[in-house]
């Protein structure tokens, strides 16, 4: 009788073990479609964080869309100093094992993403604006030079002085792509136009509106009556200077036209939100690939706004010409170089 009870007890424990699912606990790598478990995503923003009305806000919009349409949850971090904090935060997110994918925003994240991705080879990562050749990292890049060609063309159409300006955050390869496209576009419309350029520099180049304002004023003193910025949250200083001096400005990354309605001609749209949403969807669909993706005009990755506040000032003829240039880039008739 005692032996029967013992055997019965063992069988009961075995049945209980199977019923509870004797497999390992679900991790961030659980495949899409397995039950109703919500997917979780982590993101580390670039300098300036949310509220920059530019690059970071675009990434945030992509996550908000994924939350609404795909049912994901997400955690976010806004570093004060990307170089000092990014690696530690990315490591903490990876160690938790709770995230389907971890996203690093901006080219300044490259070294940190490489380091952490190598340490956690089973964790999926994505980086925006850089290339990382690792089997667990998706690289999302943009042809900023193509979108900048369009706004450079518009700047040349609208300039009355024959001089336009460019304010870049720092002299990095990616910011130079904005500059190169802007200059090529302007000279495509007016070969004799002058392009005056300045860079903010320093440790806080993407979040220094005061320096951007001062440097924009130097461009205006040189005769620039249209100024394009590629400087993240520092762009607020460009817009302030444009407002005070009554010249045109051009925004970047997100739609910044309403910051100074009527004086911000357009914004060079960089659809980071679409890229973020798409990579999250790939993960939730179980179709993640560690490949390099590049989004240009043909891929609807860059472009301009709809000129909500400036359509009448720009005029139908100029808008028609701009659309024609866009088509010429799309079909390869016009090839924009990423460097000068």
């Amino acid at each position: 009788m005692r032996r029967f009870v013992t055997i019965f007890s063992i069988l009961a424990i075995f049945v209980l073990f199977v019923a509870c699912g004797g497999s390992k606990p679900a991790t961030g790598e659980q495949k899409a479609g397995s039950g109703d478990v919500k997917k979780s995503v982590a993101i580390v923003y670039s300098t300036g964080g949310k509220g920059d009305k530019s690059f970071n806000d675009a990434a945030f919009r992509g996550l908000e869309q994924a939350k609404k349409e795909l049912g994901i949850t997400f955690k976010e971090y806004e570093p004060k100093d990307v170089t000092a904090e990014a690696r530690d935060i990315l490591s903490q997110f990876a160690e938790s094992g709770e995230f389907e994918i971890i996203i690093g925003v901006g080219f300044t994240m490259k070294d940190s993403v490489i380091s952490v991705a190598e340490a956690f080879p089973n964790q999926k990562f994505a980086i925006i604006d850089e290339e990382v050749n690792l089997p667990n990292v998706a690289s999302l890049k943009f042809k900023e030079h193509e979108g900048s060609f369009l706004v450079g063309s518009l700047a040349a159409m609208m300039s009355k002085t024959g001089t336009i300006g460019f304010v870049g955050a720092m002299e990095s390869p990616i910011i130079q792509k904005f500059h190169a496209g802007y200059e090529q576009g302007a000279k495509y419309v007016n070969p004799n136009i002058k392009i005056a350029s300045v860079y903010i520099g320093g440790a806080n180049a993407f979040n220094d509106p005061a320096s951007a304002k001062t440097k924009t004023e130097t461009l205006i003193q040189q005769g620039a009556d249209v100024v394009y910025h590629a400087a993240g949250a520092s762009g607020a200083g460009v817009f302030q200077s444009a407002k005070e001096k009554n010249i045109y400005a051009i925004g970047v990354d997100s739609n910044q036209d309403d910051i100074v309605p009527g004086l911000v001609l357009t914004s060079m749209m960089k659809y980071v939100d679409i890229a973020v949403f798409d990579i999250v969807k790939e993960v939730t669909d179980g179709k993640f690939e560690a490949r390099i993706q590049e989004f240009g005009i043909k891929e609807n990755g860059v472009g301009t706004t709809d000129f909500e506040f400036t359509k009448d000032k720009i005029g139908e003829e100029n808008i028609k010409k701009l659309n024609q240039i866009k088509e010429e880039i799309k079909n390869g008739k016009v090839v924009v170089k990423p460097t000068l």
Side-chain angles (χ1 to χ4, degrees):
M1 180 68 178
R2 183 176 301 169
R3 184 182 176 190
F4 176 80
V5 171
T6 302
I7 292 173
F8 180 82
S9 300
I10 292 171
L11 288 171
I13 292 171
F14 177 76
V15 170
L16 180 61
F17 178 78
V18 172
C20 291
S23 57
K24 294 179 181 179
T27 67
E29 295 184 356
Q30 186 175 351
K31 292 183 179 179
S34 53
D36 295 326
V37 178
K38 277 191 175 182
K39 302 299 170 186
S40 191
V41 174
I43 189 167
V44 180
Y45 295 107
S46 186
T47 306
K50 290 194 303 180
D52 64 351
K53 296 185 178 181
S54 183
F55 190 74
N56 290 302
D57 280 357
F60 174 69
R61 286 196 302 274
L63 287 179
E64 284 284 278
Q65 182 185 356
K67 180 180 178 181
K68 180 179 179 180
E69 297 183 21
L70 306 177
I72 63 121
T73 59
F74 63 89
K75 288 186 179 179
E76 53 193 348
Y77 188 84
E78 301 176 63
K80 294 180 180 178
D81 184 341
V82 173
T83 55
E85 298 177 63
R87 187 172 304 180
D88 289 342
I89 298 302
L90 289 169
S91 293
Q92 289 177 32
F93 282 150
E95 282 178 355
S96 73
E98 64 179 286
F99 302 108
E100 288 296 312
I101 190 167
I102 300 170
I103 303 170
V105 181
F107 66 92
T108 54
M109 292 278 180
K110 182 175 182 177
D111 290 343
S112 296
V113 168
I114 289 174
S115 176
V116 179
E118 288 178 338
F120 296 89
N122 295 321
Q123 171 68 59
K124 299 178 183 70
F125 293 86
I127 185 167
I128 296 171
D129 275 354
E130 258 296 355
E131 284 185 27
V132 172
N133 294 304
L134 289 173
N136 57 331
V137 182
S139 301
L140 311 176
K141 299 178 65 180
F142 295 83
K143 297 178 182 177
E144 294 90 355
H145 47 295
E146 291 187 351
S148 297
F149 190 100
L150 291 179
V151 299
S153 298
L154 178 61
M157 294 175 197
M158 298 299 292
S159 176
K160 289 180 170 43
T161 64
T163 299
I164 60 175
F166 174 81
V167 177
M170 59 176 64
E171 293 188 71
S172 64
I174 189 167
I175 300 301
Q176 288 171 343
K177 286 168 70 179
F178 288 90
H179 184 191
Y182 183 63
E183 185 162 331
Q184 289 172 78
K187 289 184 175 179
Y188 185 76
V189 170
N190 178 5
N192 298 316
I193 198 162
K194 295 179 181 179
I195 299 96
S197 61
V198 292
Y199 289 87
I200 298 167
N204 207 22
F206 288 95
N207 194 23
D208 189 354
S211 292
K213 183 176 185 294
T214 300
K215 289 182 180 291
T216 302
E217 289 168 357
T218 66
L219 296 180
I220 296 171
Q221 289 168 7
Q222 295 174 43
D225 58 351
V226 183
V227 178
Y228 172 42
H229 88 88
S234 296
V238 176
F239 298 134
Q240 184 61 34
S241 184
K243 182 178 180 180
E244 291 178 4
K245 304 298 182 181
N246 196 35
I247 59 113
Y248 287 126
I250 296 174
V252 77
D253 293 339
S254 293
N255 187 337
Q256 301 180 325
D257 296 9
D258 63 349
I259 294 178
V260 189
L263 288 182
V264 180
L265 283 174
T266 187
S267 300
M268 197 290 280
M269 298 295 289
K270 181 172 168 181
Y271 296 107
V272 175
D273 50 344
I274 294 175
V276 167
F277 175 84
D278 286 350
I279 194 65
V280 172
K281 189 174 189 305
E282 283 185 17
V283 172
T284 59
D285 288 345
K287 297 177 181 178
F288 174 85
E289 290 183 39
R291 69 187 190 278
I292 297 168
Q293 301 180 62
E294 196 165 16
F295 304 89
I297 286 178
K298 186 176 181 179
E299 297 80 17
N300 296 316
V302 295
T304 65
T305 60
D306 293 330
F307 320 113
E308 180 182 358
F309 305 102
T310 55
K311 190 172 293 184
D312 292 340
K313 291 184 177 183
I314 295 170
E316 187 177 339
E317 185 177 337
N318 282 333
I319 292 174
K320 184 177 179 180
K321 187 174 182 180
L322 200 63
N323 287 332
Q324 181 182 341
I325 293 171
K326 182 177 180 179
E327 285 303 311
E328 289 174 346
I329 296 173
K330 186 181 290 187
N331 62 32
K333 184 177 179 180
V334 170
V335 177
V336 187
K337 296 182 291 185
T339 57
L340 292 173

